[in-house]
Amino acid sequence: MKKVLLTIISLVMIFQLGCVVKDKKVKEISGNSVEEKTKGEVKDDEEIVDGYMEIINMLYNKDKGLNDGIKYIAIDTSNMRNLSEEGEEKLLKDLEGYGHTVLKYTMKGLKEKGFIEASIFKEGILFEIKHDSIKNNKITMVASKYRSGLGAIGLNKVVIERKNNKWEIIEENGSWVS
Protein backbone atom coordinates (compact mmCIF):
# COMPACT_ATOMS: atom_id res chain seq x y z
CA MET A 1 0.00 0.00 0.00
CA LYS A 2 2.87 2.38 0.84
CA LYS A 3 4.50 1.65 -2.54
CA VAL A 4 1.29 2.49 -4.41
CA LEU A 5 0.82 5.70 -2.43
CA LEU A 6 4.45 6.76 -2.97
CA THR A 7 4.18 5.97 -6.67
CA ILE A 8 1.02 8.08 -7.01
CA ILE A 9 2.58 10.99 -5.08
CA SER A 10 5.72 10.77 -7.23
CA LEU A 11 3.70 10.78 -10.45
CA VAL A 12 1.62 13.76 -9.30
CA MET A 13 4.78 15.69 -8.39
CA ILE A 14 6.43 14.89 -11.73
CA PHE A 15 3.28 15.94 -13.58
CA GLN A 16 3.07 19.24 -11.67
CA LEU A 17 6.75 19.95 -12.22
CA GLY A 18 6.35 19.28 -15.94
CA CYS A 19 3.45 21.69 -16.19
CA VAL A 20 5.28 24.44 -14.33
CA VAL A 21 8.50 24.05 -16.31
CA LYS A 22 6.73 24.15 -19.67
CA ASP A 23 5.77 27.81 -19.30
CA LYS A 24 8.81 28.94 -17.33
CA LYS A 25 12.52 29.05 -17.89
CA VAL A 26 14.33 25.77 -18.22
CA LYS A 27 17.89 25.28 -17.08
CA GLU A 28 19.99 23.39 -19.58
CA ILE A 29 23.27 21.91 -18.57
CA SER A 30 25.89 21.91 -21.29
CA GLY A 31 29.42 21.00 -20.32
CA ASN A 32 30.18 22.71 -17.04
CA SER A 33 27.79 25.65 -17.42
CA VAL A 34 24.10 26.04 -16.73
CA GLU A 35 22.10 28.14 -19.21
CA GLU A 36 18.58 29.45 -18.84
CA LYS A 37 16.42 29.36 -21.94
CA THR A 38 12.78 30.23 -22.46
CA LYS A 39 10.74 27.39 -23.83
CA GLY A 40 8.01 27.90 -26.42
CA GLU A 41 7.39 29.49 -29.76
CA VAL A 42 7.21 33.13 -30.76
CA LYS A 43 3.49 33.78 -30.88
CA ASP A 44 3.10 37.29 -29.54
CA ASP A 45 2.09 39.86 -32.19
CA GLU A 46 4.57 42.37 -30.85
CA GLU A 47 7.45 39.92 -31.29
CA ILE A 48 6.31 38.97 -34.80
CA VAL A 49 5.95 42.65 -35.81
CA ASP A 50 9.45 43.32 -34.46
CA GLY A 51 10.69 40.53 -36.75
CA TYR A 52 8.93 42.00 -39.77
CA MET A 53 10.32 45.44 -38.92
CA GLU A 54 13.85 44.01 -38.77
CA ILE A 55 13.51 42.91 -42.42
CA ILE A 56 11.66 46.06 -43.52
CA ASN A 57 14.36 48.24 -41.94
CA MET A 58 17.07 46.24 -43.71
CA LEU A 59 15.30 46.68 -47.07
CA TYR A 60 14.52 50.35 -46.40
CA ASN A 61 18.21 51.04 -45.81
CA LYS A 62 19.35 48.99 -48.84
CA ASP A 63 19.34 50.85 -52.17
CA LYS A 64 18.32 54.15 -50.61
CA GLY A 65 17.88 55.62 -54.08
CA LEU A 66 14.51 53.86 -54.21
CA ASN A 67 13.42 55.96 -51.22
CA ASP A 68 14.21 59.36 -52.81
CA GLY A 69 11.28 61.74 -52.85
CA ILE A 70 8.73 59.30 -51.44
CA LYS A 71 5.58 60.39 -49.64
CA TYR A 72 4.16 56.92 -49.02
CA ILE A 73 5.23 53.61 -47.58
CA ALA A 74 2.82 50.88 -48.55
CA ILE A 75 2.72 47.46 -46.90
CA ASP A 76 1.04 44.34 -48.23
CA THR A 77 -0.07 42.37 -45.18
CA SER A 78 -2.09 39.79 -47.11
CA ASN A 79 0.59 37.08 -46.79
CA MET A 80 1.67 37.78 -43.22
CA ARG A 81 0.35 34.70 -41.43
CA ASN A 82 -0.28 34.63 -37.69
CA LEU A 83 -0.74 38.39 -37.47
CA SER A 84 -3.93 39.58 -35.77
CA GLU A 85 -5.66 42.91 -36.38
CA GLU A 86 -3.83 44.31 -33.35
CA GLY A 87 -0.54 43.11 -34.85
CA GLU A 88 -1.36 44.81 -38.15
CA GLU A 89 -2.16 48.04 -36.29
CA LYS A 90 1.21 47.88 -34.49
CA LEU A 91 3.01 47.23 -37.79
CA LEU A 92 1.34 50.23 -39.43
CA LYS A 93 2.16 52.43 -36.43
CA ASP A 94 5.79 51.28 -36.44
CA LEU A 95 6.04 52.10 -40.16
CA GLU A 96 4.91 55.67 -39.41
CA GLY A 97 8.28 56.06 -37.69
CA TYR A 98 9.88 56.51 -41.14
CA GLY A 99 8.03 59.85 -41.46
CA HIS A 100 5.86 58.98 -44.47
CA THR A 101 2.15 58.31 -44.91
CA VAL A 102 1.54 54.58 -44.47
CA LEU A 103 -0.80 52.72 -46.83
CA LYS A 104 -2.05 49.16 -46.40
CA TYR A 105 -2.55 47.84 -49.93
CA THR A 106 -1.47 45.02 -52.19
CA MET A 107 0.19 45.83 -55.52
CA LYS A 108 -3.20 45.35 -57.17
CA GLY A 109 -4.84 47.70 -54.65
CA LEU A 110 -2.23 50.40 -55.28
CA LYS A 111 -2.87 50.12 -59.03
CA GLU A 112 -6.65 50.30 -58.54
CA LYS A 113 -6.29 53.40 -56.35
CA GLY A 114 -4.00 55.08 -58.91
CA PHE A 115 -0.83 55.06 -56.80
CA ILE A 116 0.95 52.80 -59.31
CA GLU A 117 0.72 53.75 -62.99
CA ALA A 118 2.67 52.07 -65.80
CA SER A 119 4.38 49.86 -63.16
CA ILE A 120 5.78 52.92 -61.33
CA PHE A 121 4.99 53.93 -57.74
CA LYS A 122 6.11 57.55 -58.27
CA GLU A 123 5.53 58.75 -54.74
CA GLY A 124 6.19 55.68 -52.67
CA ILE A 125 7.58 52.24 -52.04
CA LEU A 126 5.77 48.97 -51.40
CA PHE A 127 7.00 46.35 -48.96
CA GLU A 128 5.77 42.82 -49.54
CA ILE A 129 6.48 40.05 -47.06
CA LYS A 130 5.38 36.50 -47.70
CA HIS A 131 5.68 34.80 -44.36
CA ASP A 132 6.26 31.08 -44.67
CA SER A 133 6.42 29.74 -41.13
CA ILE A 134 7.24 30.30 -37.48
CA LYS A 135 9.08 27.39 -35.86
CA ASN A 136 11.54 27.24 -32.97
CA ASN A 137 11.58 31.05 -32.60
CA LYS A 138 12.43 31.41 -36.31
CA ILE A 139 10.44 33.11 -39.06
CA THR A 140 11.05 32.15 -42.69
CA MET A 141 9.92 34.66 -45.31
CA VAL A 142 10.37 36.21 -48.73
CA ALA A 143 10.53 40.02 -48.75
CA SER A 144 10.80 42.87 -51.24
CA LYS A 145 10.81 46.65 -51.64
CA TYR A 146 9.20 47.90 -54.87
CA ARG A 147 9.33 51.32 -56.51
CA SER A 148 8.97 50.28 -60.16
CA GLY A 149 9.47 47.37 -62.51
CA LEU A 150 13.10 48.45 -62.86
CA GLY A 151 13.50 49.69 -59.29
CA ALA A 152 13.00 46.94 -56.76
CA ILE A 153 15.02 44.77 -54.39
CA GLY A 154 14.20 41.62 -52.54
CA LEU A 155 15.20 38.55 -50.63
CA ASN A 156 14.35 35.13 -52.07
CA LYS A 157 14.42 33.53 -48.63
CA VAL A 158 15.41 34.97 -45.29
CA VAL A 159 15.27 33.29 -41.90
CA ILE A 160 15.34 35.33 -38.72
CA GLU A 161 15.64 33.96 -35.21
CA ARG A 162 14.67 35.51 -31.90
CA LYS A 163 17.55 35.26 -29.42
CA ASN A 164 17.87 37.20 -26.18
CA ASN A 165 14.76 39.26 -27.04
CA LYS A 166 16.25 40.41 -30.38
CA TRP A 167 15.78 39.25 -33.96
CA GLU A 168 18.85 38.20 -35.92
CA ILE A 169 19.13 37.24 -39.58
CA ILE A 170 20.55 33.73 -39.53
CA GLU A 171 20.05 32.77 -43.16
CA GLU A 172 19.73 34.78 -46.36
CA ASN A 173 19.41 32.67 -49.52
CA GLY A 174 19.71 34.97 -52.47
CA SER A 175 18.79 38.57 -52.96
CA TRP A 176 17.79 40.26 -56.19
CA VAL A 177 17.77 43.74 -57.72
CA SER A 178 15.84 44.99 -60.72
Side-chain angles (χ1 to χ4, degrees):
M1 182 69 168
K2 280 185 177 180
K3 286 183 181 181
V4 172
L5 187 56
L6 285 174
T7 304
I8 291 172
I9 291 172
S10 296
L11 288 173
V12 168
M13 289 177 68
I14 290 170
F15 177 75
Q16 285 180 335
L17 248 173
C19 290
V20 171
V21 169
K22 187 175 184 181
D23 296 324
K24 302 280 182 181
K25 289 186 176 180
V26 177
K27 289 185 179 181
E28 287 190 2
I29 300 172
S30 58
N32 295 328
S33 65
V34 176
E35 256 181 72
E36 281 194 354
K37 294 188 176 184
T38 304
K39 287 290 245 179
E41 297 289 316
V42 171
K43 291 183 180 163
D44 181 76
D45 274 341
E46 191 167 323
E47 291 177 345
I48 294 170
V49 169
D50 289 347
Y52 289 147
M53 287 302 296
E54 183 75 24
I55 298 303
I56 289 169
N57 193 44
M58 182 185 82
L59 289 172
Y60 185 85
N61 289 310
K62 242 184 191 179
D63 198 348
K64 290 186 178 185
L66 297 177
N67 304 345
D68 286 346
I70 66 170
K71 293 181 184 176
Y72 305 105
I73 290 181
I75 183 80
D76 178 352
T77 61
S78 65
N79 291 305
M80 293 181 177
R81 299 183 200 165
N82 301 315
L83 195 61
S84 68
E85 286 181 36
E86 292 82 16
E88 275 190 18
E89 288 173 21
K90 180 182 178 353
L91 179 65
L92 298 175
K93 186 169 178 65
D94 286 359
L95 286 170
E96 289 174 359
Y98 289 106
H100 307 289
T101 302
V102 176
L103 306 171
K104 183 184 144 197
Y105 289 114
T106 62
M107 174 86 72
K108 182 179 177 184
L110 289 168
K111 287 177 181 176
E112 289 172 354
K113 297 288 183 184
F115 288 103
I116 294 178
E117 295 177 351
S119 298
I120 300 170
F121 193 177
K122 289 181 185 176
E123 297 182 309
I125 53 177
L126 167 65
F127 289 105
E128 292 180 295
I129 295 178
K130 295 177 182 163
H131 167 156
D132 187 30
S133 65
I134 297 179
K135 289 183 182 176
N136 302 320
N137 291 330
K138 297 175 186 172
I139 302 177
T140 303
M141 63 184 94
V142 173
S144 65
K145 175 171 81 169
Y146 176 91
R147 182 82 187 254
S148 71
L150 297 176
I153 60 172
L155 303 166
N156 292 329
K157 177 186 173 188
V158 64
V159 180
I160 58 174
E161 182 174 22
R162 188 148 175 96
K163 294 179 184 177
N164 302 319
N165 295 321
K166 289 176 74 176
W167 287 101
E168 296 176 22
I169 297 170
I170 60 167
E171 185 179 332
E172 190 179 321
N173 289 335
S175 60
W176 54 267
V177 177
S178 74

